[in-house]
Amino acid sequence: MAEFRRDGVMPEIAVTRVLLVEDDPGDAYLVVTSLRKVQFDRFDTTISDCLSLAIGCARSLPFDVVLLDLSLPDSRGMQTIRAFRQAAPDLPVIVLTGLEDRDVGLQALKEGCQDYLVKGRGDGETIARAILHSIARKQLENGLFRAKEEYRLLVETSPSAILVCTEDGVQLVNEAARQLCSTAAGLRGPKFASLVVSHDVSRLETLIRDVLRGMKRLGVVETQLHGGDGRMVEVEIVVLAVNHDSGPVAELIIHDLTARREADHYRTLASSVFDGSAEAMIVTDARTRVRLVNAAFTEITGYRSDEIIGQTPHLLASGKHSPEFYENMWNSLLTNGHWRGDIWNRRKNGEVYVQRLTISAIRGHEGTIENFVGVFSDVTEKRQEEDFVRQRAFHDALTGLPNRALMEDRLERAVTQAFRREGGLAVLFLDLDGFKPVNDRHGHRLGDELLRHVAGLLKRCVRESDTVARIGGDEFILLLTDIADCARVERIACSILQSFNQPISLDGITVSIGISIGIAVFPEAGTDPASLLANADKAMYAAKRQGKGVYCSFSKMDQPQPEWGRWEKLGV
């Protein structure tokens, strides 16, 4: 917590002016936001996306430190460091490297940089302390901190484990080193046998001697040392020459490789899972631009990674879904963080297929969405099998019409909607007249063809929103919804009767059949599915008793017995 002066005014926190040379907006954003969270210092960061602009900024504005990426549009590699240090020799430089760029970072130290940071590793305090340490070390090299005690304090407060050596051996061990290594606290003098494993002692001593004698500016040894908990710790020891007022010293900066090794392991594991997955995977940025796909994605869609990266998943769209479908998908994704479902997409060869897709939103530390990850598989064959099973379960195998089960389900929903909307609903029970003689005389093949023909006739007499069902044998049910009045039901019944007025020719054989129709209208003839079906059935049998080829309406009035409504007979 900051202290107040006696006059009650909070002292100003020092401002460190940072020149960040980075052409990747994402990496630049990560550094800036990390530094903003640091409480013990304030950082004023200026971003430059190319070397030439950075050099101009360094010459015209006062900066304390530069964070330098080595892969810029106008310069790459060590030449970037040389050009910048030639333009601004007094400005401390910290190199930003990728996960795999440790050797580049070490080479950068040889070129005179103060430190290197691995992108994406460490929080704001780690970056801030590296900046402050680099600034201080540069100031030390320039002679700004010449007192031995000031240098000792600098080393002691560094978050990195540091040992300071001269020709006489180890002179200073900071707190971080004492915590990392169980034997470092008592380490003094020229011997390192108690610090690292025995087979690396000679190599480390030789490197320190070469640095102190000016034969090398820096060197690196990867070895193991005795950790504070008794276990062996894999470390990287960077031996760096430092010009001190009392003479040359070698600064040993010890990096614990445990976290890096573990991160590398999980990164390799994640990469193996990603590449080896049988399910397709796609990663986009927050703007849905594709950044990464795996091999299964290419196998399913036909698009290679170089063809899809930089594009959006809209490239795969089949055109089968409405804008409302995608709007609902995005609402779920942004609200719940994920969406799951089946979606029709198109392969590179134009073939349309069904994906079973899961999309997840990946949020950063501040809660903002940074990426979307999609995982999907091709379920076209599975969907076809499901559709086939569903068709067989709810449709008549001969005519393709809904069967009794599907008809009853739709009737139940129609009754519920009729109650809510107070809309009209009618059930028509139809039975063919004269079908059995035709079937017996000409055989089942022609009988089946006749039933299919009847199904087509009935479908043409009603709207697409109405239901025509075959419930068995030569019996059919019509479910008419949103009926304004009974007159419309009777017109449909007349239209059906007229459709059977003419002989039917099938495979060169002409046959004549009729049809009897029973009508039950909601709510007069019933207010539940069972009553409507039963009364439509009664009305159909009444029509048959009246001579067939007619329709008969059932009305449930206040009379003790059902009253048969008017009936009409049309000649065949």
Side-chain angles (χ1 to χ4, degrees):
M1 180 178 293
E3 296 181 357
F4 285 89
R5 298 202 306 262
R6 291 182 179 179
D7 57 6
V9 180
M10 182 181 289
E12 292 188 2
I13 300 176
V15 177
T16 301
R17 294 158 297 185
V18 180
L19 175 58
L20 174 59
V21 188
E22 173 60 70
D23 64 328
D24 188 317
D27 289 340
Y29 175 79
L30 181 61
V31 172
V32 172
T33 53
S34 297
L35 290 177
R36 285 176 182 168
K37 299 176 182 178
V38 176
Q39 297 181 359
F40 58 80
D41 203 352
R42 284 198 311 148
F43 296 87
D44 184 6
T45 307
T46 300
I47 302 174
S48 175
D49 60 359
C50 65
L51 180 62
S52 58
L53 181 59
I55 290 175
C57 290
R59 286 173 173 169
S60 60
L61 298 172
F63 291 99
D64 299 307
V65 66
V66 60
L67 304 180
L68 183 63
D69 183 24
L70 299 186
S71 181
L72 299 170
D74 55 349
S75 180
R76 302 180 70 87
M78 296 300 110
Q79 182 58 36
T80 305
I81 299 174
R82 299 185 191 108
F84 189 91
R85 293 198 71 243
Q86 184 177 0
D90 295 330
L91 192 59
V93 177
I94 298 176
V95 168
L96 300 176
T97 75
L99 191 64
E100 304 288 340
D101 292 343
R102 183 176 62 84
D103 293 339
V104 174
L106 296 178
Q107 183 64 32
L109 294 179
K110 293 181 181 180
E111 294 291 338
C113 296
Q114 262 55 53
D115 206 345
Y116 69 93
L117 294 172
V118 178
K119 293 182 182 181
R121 299 292 173 81
D123 54 13
E125 290 199 7
T126 301
I127 300 174
R129 292 188 186 279
I131 289 174
L132 298 179
H133 183 65
S134 297
I135 293 172
R137 190 160 61 197
K138 185 65 177 181
Q139 290 172 339
L140 179 64
E141 291 177 358
N142 293 340
L144 298 178
F145 291 98
R146 299 184 183 277
K148 186 175 181 179
E149 286 304 316
E150 290 177 341
Y151 176 68
R152 182 186 300 275
L153 180 62
L154 174 66
V155 173
E156 280 288 358
T157 58
S158 172
S160 299
I162 297 176
L163 283 72
V164 178
C165 302
T166 65
E167 290 281 3
D168 297 327
V170 178
Q171 304 299 316
L172 179 62
V173 179
N174 75 348
E175 179 61 26
R178 288 191 289 271
Q179 291 182 1
L180 178 63
C181 178
S182 60
T183 60
L187 187 63
R188 288 293 186 273
K191 300 299 182 181
F192 293 88
S194 62
L195 179 66
V196 299
V197 292
S198 58
H199 58 269
D200 286 329
V201 171
S202 176
R203 188 157 59 103
L204 180 59
E205 290 178 341
T206 301
L207 176 58
I208 294 172
R209 184 172 58 251
D210 290 345
V211 169
L212 289 172
R213 294 177 181 178
M215 299 173 63
K216 291 183 178 180
R217 177 171 172 75
L218 64 84
V220 179
V221 172
E222 286 195 10
T223 182
Q224 291 181 319
L225 52 76
H226 302 281
D229 56 1
R231 63 186 177 88
M232 300 303 292
V233 182
E234 288 190 61
V235 295
E236 171 191 81
I237 303 178
V238 179
V239 182
L240 178 68
V242 177
N243 294 322
H244 197 272
D245 59 348
S246 60
V249 299
E251 191 175 279
L252 279 65
I253 306 173
I254 306 174
H255 297 138
D256 186 349
L257 297 181
T258 304
R260 188 185 303 178
R261 292 279 191 266
E262 185 176 358
D264 289 345
H265 168 72
Y266 284 112
R267 180 174 177 272
T268 301
L269 179 62
S271 178
S272 299
V273 171
F274 184 85
D275 292 333
S277 173
E279 292 188 305
M281 295 186 181
I282 178 172
V283 180
T284 77
D285 59 21
R287 297 183 301 166
T288 72
R289 295 287 177 182
V290 178
R291 293 298 177 224
L292 194 63
V293 296
N294 67 351
F297 176 93
T298 299
E299 182 179 349
I300 292 175
T301 68
Y303 286 98
R304 301 190 310 272
S305 60
D306 61 304
E307 295 175 317
I308 193 69
I309 288 177
Q311 304 289 336
T312 69
H314 182 70
L315 181 66
L316 307 174
S318 65
K320 281 182 168 286
H321 297 289
S322 66
E324 290 76 18
F325 174 87
Y326 292 106
E327 183 178 350
N328 292 334
M329 173 195 291
W330 278 103
N331 285 339
S332 173
L333 185 57
L334 298 178
T335 302
N336 304 321
H338 62 270
W339 180 88
R340 295 185 182 90
D342 289 357
I343 182 171
W344 288 90
N345 270 337
R346 191 179 303 275
R347 305 188 209 272
K348 182 181 177 182
N349 62 8
E351 179 186 353
V352 175
Y353 68 104
V354 186
Q355 287 181 1
R356 187 145 293 167
L357 172 64
T358 298
I359 310 175
S360 301
I362 307 301
R363 298 183 181 273
H365 295 296
E366 295 185 353
T368 57
I369 293 176
E370 296 182 352
N371 297 96
F372 295 103
V373 178
V375 181
F376 65 87
S377 56
D378 183 349
V379 295
T380 307
E381 291 185 5
K382 185 175 182 180
R383 273 287 294 271
Q384 290 172 344
E385 292 173 359
E386 291 173 352
D387 291 343
F388 177 76
V389 171
R390 191 178 300 109
Q391 176 73 18
R392 293 295 298 269
F394 295 104
H395 290 78
D396 175 47
L398 177 62
T399 64
L401 296 176
N403 60 13
R404 178 181 288 273
L406 182 55
M407 180 275 298
E408 289 178 346
D409 178 70
R410 291 184 180 179
L411 177 57
E412 187 170 348
R413 287 189 283 117
V415 169
T416 301
Q417 291 176 358
F419 271 116
R420 290 175 181 171
R421 302 177 184 174
E422 297 183 353
L425 166 65
V427 176
L428 279 64
F429 203 116
L430 299 84
D431 185 84
L432 298 182
D433 299 326
F435 173 75
K436 187 176 184 304
V438 172
N439 194 52
D440 292 342
R441 179 179 178 184
H442 298 289
H444 293 296
R445 188 184 64 80
L446 185 70
D448 289 347
E449 188 63 30
L450 180 57
L451 289 173
R452 284 191 287 265
H453 180 80
V454 169
L457 285 178
L458 296 178
K459 288 174 68 176
R460 287 193 291 271
C461 291
V462 297
R463 300 166 303 179
E464 212 172 291
S465 59
D466 297 325
T467 297
V468 179
R470 180 181 178 229
I471 61 172
D474 58 356
E475 293 181 333
F476 296 83
I477 292 286
L478 268 61
L479 175 59
L480 310 180
T481 57
D482 295 324
I483 298 300
D485 52 51
C486 293
R488 184 174 181 279
V489 179
E490 293 181 353
R491 286 196 298 271
I492 293 174
C494 290
S495 174
I496 294 171
L497 293 174
Q498 289 172 350
S499 297
F500 287 82
N501 238 353
Q502 300 297 325
I504 300 171
S505 181
L506 299 171
D507 296 336
I509 300 174
T510 301
V511 297
S512 294
I513 60 171
I515 192 165
S516 297
I517 305 172
I519 302 173
V521 179
F522 174 92
E524 291 83 0
T527 57
D528 61 87
S531 298
L532 288 168
L533 287 172
N535 292 333
D537 185 39
K538 291 177 181 178
M540 185 272 294
Y541 278 107
K544 281 193 176 290
R545 289 194 299 270
Q546 297 295 337
K548 303 182 181 179
V550 301
Y551 71 83
C552 186
S553 297
F554 179 91
S555 296
K556 191 172 184 180
M557 311 296 288
D558 295 332
Q559 292 83 354
Q561 297 297 328
E563 177 188 341
W564 297 108
R566 79 175 181 88
W567 59 273
E568 180 176 338
K569 183 173 181 180
L570 300 179
V572 179

